[in-house]
């Protein structure tokens, strides 16, 4: 039975009119808030694998030269894509620095949903001696990254796999497991992806992802319409021993879709 039939059968004409008016108002509000975001919704919504398989090297080229309108220190300004990425990676770098003090051997670090491995390339340059690995569901993206970054990725291990099944790695294979805007794309099997991260991480998990609870109204609408994850924080709280840091990142490439930070002990 459709909602409309249900409403028609159950409510008086006056009440039906009330519901129809509220529904129309809501549609108008959603549409105006999401106008301009439509392209992003297409890009980041369902079917991520197919979209990303054919991305090519444009994102990597843009990363080296372009800037975007973004939020810095509470102000919308023009920011280089390099600076945005550095800001997203700052908590991952901090975790690596901390773990290097605690662990008396080369650190092992995994990025889940690494895409074209731009983050891994930057971290690999900054932290020689750390053993970096990355997985992504889109084989084509990994191949593009390998080709584009060349020697800058030499010691980095990359593999095609889904975050929801990382059986290619043994338990506690890594000291740190992190993700950047990747878990956001796994709305229906997030629990499996987090379970794998908890299984593989010996010491720390860092997620740089949109977090529904920290979002403004526009972001929540965006998350719903683009069918992105809405349950990351509760899922980490449920599966990890502790979630010790959580909040919004101060530098953002898209103020309408702010990115949060969650740091957890598996
Ligand atoms: C927005 S991109 C971010 C890539 C990278 N983390 C970065 O910051 O550049 C999201 C990535 O998640 C990957 N992805 C989506 N679903 C996945 C899954 N189930 N397992 C592994 N990777 C997945 C996509 O293929 C894509 O490369």
């Amino acid at each position: 039975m459709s909602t409309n039939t249900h409403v028609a059968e159950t409510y008086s004409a006056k009440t039906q009119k009330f519901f129809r008016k509220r529904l129309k108002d809501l549609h108008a509000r959603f549409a105006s808030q999401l106008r301009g975001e439509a392209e992003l919704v297409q890009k980041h919504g369902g079917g991520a694998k197919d979209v990303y398989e054919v991305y090519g090297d444009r994102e990597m080229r843009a990363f080296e030269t372009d800037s975007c309108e973004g939020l810095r220190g509470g102000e919308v300004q023009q920011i280089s894509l390099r600076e945005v990425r550095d800001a997203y990676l700052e908590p991952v770098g901090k975790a690596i620095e901390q773990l290097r003090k605690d662990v008396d051997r080369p650190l092992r670090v995994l990025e889940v949903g690494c895409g074209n491995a731009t983050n891994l390339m930057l971290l690999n340059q900054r932290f020689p001696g750390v053993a970096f690995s990355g997985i992504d569901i889109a084989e084509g993206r990994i191949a593009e990254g390998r080709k584009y970054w060349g020697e800058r990725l030499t010691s980095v291990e990359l593999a095609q796999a889904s975050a929801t099944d990382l059986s290619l790695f043994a338990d506690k294979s890594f000291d740190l497991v992190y993700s950047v805007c990747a878990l956001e794309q796994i709305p229906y099997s997030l629990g499996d992806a987090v379970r794998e991260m908890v299984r593989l991480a010996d010491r720390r998990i860092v997620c740089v992802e949109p977090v529904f609870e920290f979002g403004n109204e526009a972001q929540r609408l965006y998350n719903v319409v683009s069918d992105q994850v809405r349950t990351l924080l509760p899922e980490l709280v449920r599966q990890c021993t502790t979630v010790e840091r959580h909040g919004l990142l101060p530098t953002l490439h898209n103020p309408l879709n702010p990115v949060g930070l969650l740091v957890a002990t598996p």
Side-chain angles (χ1 to χ4, degrees):
M1 194 193 306
S2 79
T3 313
N4 280 345
T5 322
H6 178 74
V7 169
E9 280 173 1
T10 316
Y11 298 114
S12 69
K14 193 175 162 205
T15 308
Q16 287 178 45
K17 200 170 154 202
F18 168 83
F19 275 118
R20 277 197 210 101
K21 165 97 178 55
R22 291 302 291 266
L23 209 58
K24 210 171 143 200
D25 291 349
L26 269 175
H27 280 169
R29 204 163 129 210
F30 276 35
S32 73
Q33 294 212 3
L34 291 170
R35 206 165 292 135
E37 290 292 287
E39 202 190 320
L40 279 171
V41 171
Q42 292 293 329
K43 252 191 229 166
H44 296 301
K49 183 174 187 312
D50 296 343
V51 173
Y52 284 114
E53 283 291 11
V54 293
Y55 234 57
D57 66 4
R58 68 175 188 274
E59 194 185 55
M60 290 173 283
R61 282 189 280 111
F63 162 76
E64 302 209 275
T65 53
D66 291 7
S67 58
C68 64
E69 211 168 51
L71 197 64
R72 181 171 42 196
E75 295 283 333
V76 175
Q77 329 177 336
Q78 208 58 28
I79 321 180
S80 74
L81 294 184
R82 165 74 201 233
E83 195 184 332
V84 172
R85 213 171 262 271
D86 283 346
Y88 283 18
L89 286 181
E90 203 244 359
V92 180
K94 271 213 176 108
I96 292 175
E97 275 164 7
Q98 183 58 50
L99 288 171
R100 278 214 300 200
K101 288 187 201 143
D102 301 343
V103 177
D104 196 15
R105 52 162 171 71
L107 275 194
R108 307 152 306 167
V109 175
L110 172 71
E111 179 171 347
V112 170
C114 65
N116 54 35
T118 303
N119 301 328
L120 286 165
M121 178 279 291
L122 290 169
L123 292 169
N124 194 41
Q125 303 286 294
R126 183 172 155 199
F127 296 106
V130 172
F132 287 104
S133 303
I135 65 95
D136 198 279
I137 200 164
E139 202 162 14
R141 270 209 114 191
I142 295 177
E144 287 287 348
R146 215 355 119 235
K147 192 164 93 191
Y148 190 89
W149 299 124
E151 284 189 353
R152 285 183 272 181
L153 276 180
T154 15
S155 52
V156 178
E157 300 278 341
L158 297 175
Q160 190 276 332
S162 172
T164 57
D165 176 6
L166 296 176
S167 46
L168 74 159
F169 300 117
D171 294 3
K172 301 198 184 303
S173 287
F174 301 96
D175 301 294
L176 167 68
V177 177
Y178 74 93
S179 73
V180 180
C181 301
L183 297 181
E184 64 173 15
Q185 300 190 353
I186 315 175
Y188 300 108
S189 38
L190 178 71
D192 293 338
V194 171
R195 193 168 310 116
E196 285 296 67
M197 291 174 85
V198 170
R199 181 179 71 77
L200 295 180
D202 195 15
R203 287 165 178 265
R204 195 65 88 238
I205 293 175
V206 174
C207 297
V208 179
E209 302 276 347
V211 178
F212 193 72
E213 286 77 0
F214 307 153
N216 51 37
E217 196 182 346
Q219 180 179 40
R220 290 175 178 213
L221 289 169
Y222 175 84
N223 288 159
V224 171
V225 173
S226 60
D227 204 11
Q228 289 191 339
V229 161
R230 266 111 48 208
T231 51
L232 183 57
L233 178 57
E235 197 61 61
L236 280 185
V237 168
R238 198 166 69 81
Q239 294 203 44
C240 294
T241 309
T242 51
V243 176
E244 51 258 14
R245 263 189 82 190
H246 48 78
L248 278 180
L249 289 185
T251 299
L252 307 163
H253 81 290
N254 179 358
L256 279 182
N257 194 21
V259 174
L261 166 69
L262 299 172
V263 180
T265 301

